[in-house]
Amino acid sequence: MRFIKKLSSCILALSFSALILYADILSEFPAEIIMHQNESHSSTLGLGVSIRNIPDDVCVTSGNDTVTPLKTGTYDATLNVGSIPFKKVKINVSQPKSLYVSGQLIGIRIYNKGLIVTNLAPVLCQGVEISPAQKAGILPGDIILKINGQEVKSAEEVSSVITESTTLTLQRKNAIKTVKVTPVSDDNDGELKLGLWVRDSSAGVGTMTYINPENLTYGALGHGISDSDTGILFNVADGSIEKSMVISVQKGKKGSPGQISGSFSSAGEISGTVRKNCEAGLFGDVFPHSDLCGESYPIGVMSQVKTGDATILSTVDGDVKEYKIKILRTMPYGSASKGLSIEITDPELLDKTGGIVQGMSGSPIIQNGKLIGAVTHVLVNDPTRGYGIFIENMLSEAEKIK
């Protein structure tokens, strides 16, 4: 009897924990659902959640699973679990829109606003290792905005602006603080040093997702570019994209993600600017260039995405090609860059790359003739699987650029 009571208590505790977790997940469902006028949309979003209580004069309902908005505008509705409403949402009905879909490999250069402190390093001074930065309370992840009141834009500038009594203006998360540091002379070269390593920029290759022909802006990667040592998202001061060519492909395997190695245009031809770097990708202006424009596709929003067959456009051997994938799960409650669970099924791509590799991030995902998202991440223990972002999440961030 005592065992049964303990078992019952454990089951009750687990059930309560699961209920709390489910409630937390439900709270992450979007507060706005985008739909296109006169197009069919699913009213089911997964996890037993459905869109309900849309005004009768706004849409035509086909059974319980499909709705077709008849007029544009913003309308009130609810998200229900079964018949129980749990969250109010807005239905934003707009005219269908099309974008140029790319899949082109691009070279990316991005410069941060300030210098990211990546590590602290002792300086050998009079035979003793000293770390002035550590003594002053500086931490990896801090961003140096000014040195002695002067803005610094590159790591090379640091040695020329520090003095025997140096004042640093730092950003630590969302706070700005001033720190005084006393540099020491390095026994090796006699220069004054702070005892830290900094990074000012990043460069690499990725995939362009789309070009908006209305304003010649682009979206790429589907996830942000972060500093490799601290994980801090680069805050764009300046940046550019260039044409890039595939040099080699390292196949991915379990526990070891592969990657595409690419070279930037030998002519240094700038193809566009970088204006924003965020969780949903890289965004900026693109200069008119035939090599970077693809075929025009209508946008497929979240409520039109289905599990099942789809394709991606990617550059892994010189040209943009279409490859088969499967959408395993849609997750509108997930993070901005992980709304789709996907699997590479195309034998040709699996033979070339082993699945998803670094450099393929941003590869557009096509389903039923519509652009629905982009590849973002690979599962380290299974390179054939990974994640994607809904295209509307990318467009939402692009529209915030001033």
Side-chain angles (χ1 to χ4, degrees):
M1 182 64 73
R2 184 177 299 173
F3 172 75
I4 293 174
K5 286 183 177 180
K6 285 186 176 180
L7 182 60
S8 298
S9 297
C10 289
I11 293 173
L12 183 62
L14 288 172
S15 299
F16 185 68
S17 297
L19 184 61
I20 292 174
L21 178 60
Y22 185 61
D24 286 342
I25 293 174
L26 292 181
S27 68
E28 296 300 320
F29 274 80
E32 181 180 80
I33 307 295
I34 298 174
M35 294 186 178
H36 290 155
Q37 185 182 20
N38 297 324
E39 290 187 354
S40 176
H41 299 75
S42 174
S43 60
T44 302
L45 300 180
L47 291 182
V49 175
S50 59
I51 308 167
R52 292 289 181 262
N53 302 319
I54 305 173
D56 292 336
D57 62 336
V58 173
C59 67
V60 173
T61 302
S62 303
N64 292 321
D65 299 325
T66 304
V67 295
T68 304
L70 301 179
K71 57 183 181 180
T72 60
T74 302
Y75 309 96
D76 293 324
T78 62
L79 295 184
N80 284 23
V81 177
S83 60
I84 303 173
F86 77 90
K87 186 174 185 176
K88 293 181 178 180
V89 294
K90 295 288 185 182
I91 304 296
N92 187 339
V93 182
S94 61
Q95 291 286 345
K97 183 178 181 179
S98 294
L99 298 170
Y100 284 118
V101 175
S102 179
Q104 175 74 46
L105 191 71
I106 54 173
I108 301 163
R109 302 181 194 273
I110 185 170
Y111 299 87
N112 194 61
K113 288 182 179 178
L115 310 179
I116 301 172
V117 178
T118 60
N119 207 350
L120 304 181
V123 181
L124 188 64
C125 177
Q126 297 180 5
V128 178
E129 289 190 339
I130 302 172
S131 178
Q134 186 177 30
K135 284 186 176 181
I138 298 171
L139 300 173
D142 287 346
I143 299 174
I144 301 173
L145 302 176
K146 295 180 180 180
I147 298 179
N148 292 328
Q150 179 179 331
E151 289 188 1
V152 283
K153 297 181 179 180
S154 70
E156 288 75 16
E157 291 182 50
V158 175
S159 60
S160 64
V161 294
I162 62 174
T163 58
E164 292 183 357
S165 180
T166 296
T167 300
L168 304 182
T169 303
L170 303 175
Q171 179 181 332
R172 181 174 297 172
K173 295 184 178 180
N174 295 323
I176 304 295
K177 59 186 302 182
T178 300
V179 174
K180 290 189 176 181
V181 189
T182 303
V184 295
S185 177
D186 190 333
D187 287 351
N188 296 310
D189 55 22
E191 291 188 2
L192 290 176
K193 294 186 178 178
L194 301 173
L196 48 75
W197 293 98
V198 295
R199 181 170 290 125
D200 57 15
S201 61
S202 179
V205 296
T207 301
M208 179 176 286
T209 306
Y210 70 83
I211 294 173
N212 187 339
E214 294 180 359
N215 53 15
L216 286 182
T217 57
Y218 73 88
L221 297 187
H223 64 74
I225 297 176
S226 300
D227 173 60
S228 57
D229 291 303
T230 63
I232 290 176
L233 203 64
F234 276 89
N235 185 11
V236 179
D238 192 13
S240 63
I241 58 171
E242 304 178 17
K243 291 179 62 178
S244 183
M245 297 179 60
V246 177
I247 297 176
S248 64
V249 176
Q250 178 184 337
K251 291 181 68 171
K253 57 184 179 180
K254 184 177 181 179
S256 178
Q259 69 174 29
I260 297 173
S261 296
S263 66
F264 289 24
S265 169
S266 58
E269 183 178 359
I270 305 299
S271 300
T273 64
V274 179
R275 296 181 59 193
K276 184 174 185 177
N277 174 48
C278 64
E279 186 184 1
L282 204 68
F283 304 92
D285 301 311
V286 66
F287 306 145
H289 201 295
S290 59
D291 288 348
L292 291 176
C293 289
E295 185 179 346
S296 179
Y297 280 80
I299 293 169
V301 294
M302 186 188 304
S303 53
Q304 295 176 313
V305 180
K306 311 288 186 183
T307 57
D309 293 339
T311 60
I312 62 172
L313 296 175
S314 196
T315 306
V316 297
D317 60 1
D319 298 313
V320 177
K321 292 184 180 180
E322 191 168 15
Y323 301 100
K324 296 177 183 177
I325 69 167
K326 280 192 181 294
I327 297 175
L328 304 177
R329 190 162 43 130
T330 62
M331 301 173 290
Y333 48 85
S335 67
S337 62
K338 293 183 178 180
L340 299 165
S341 174
I342 63 175
E343 179 182 19
I344 304 297
T345 58
D346 195 291
E348 182 182 355
L349 186 58
L350 290 171
D351 181 61
K352 291 177 180 177
T353 65
I356 300 169
V357 297
Q358 296 176 32
M360 285 174 60
S361 294
S363 297
I365 302 174
I366 309 296
Q367 187 181 58
N368 297 325
K370 294 184 176 182
L371 171 63
I372 63 166
V375 176
T376 57
H377 296 82
V378 61
L379 293 180
V380 176
N381 289 326
D382 184 359
T384 67
R385 297 191 177 194
Y387 295 101
I389 182 173
F390 290 110
I391 190 62
E392 64 195 79
N393 287 343
M394 294 185 72
L395 294 174
S396 176
E397 289 297 332
E399 289 171 359
K400 295 176 185 177
I401 299 176
K402 297 180 180 179

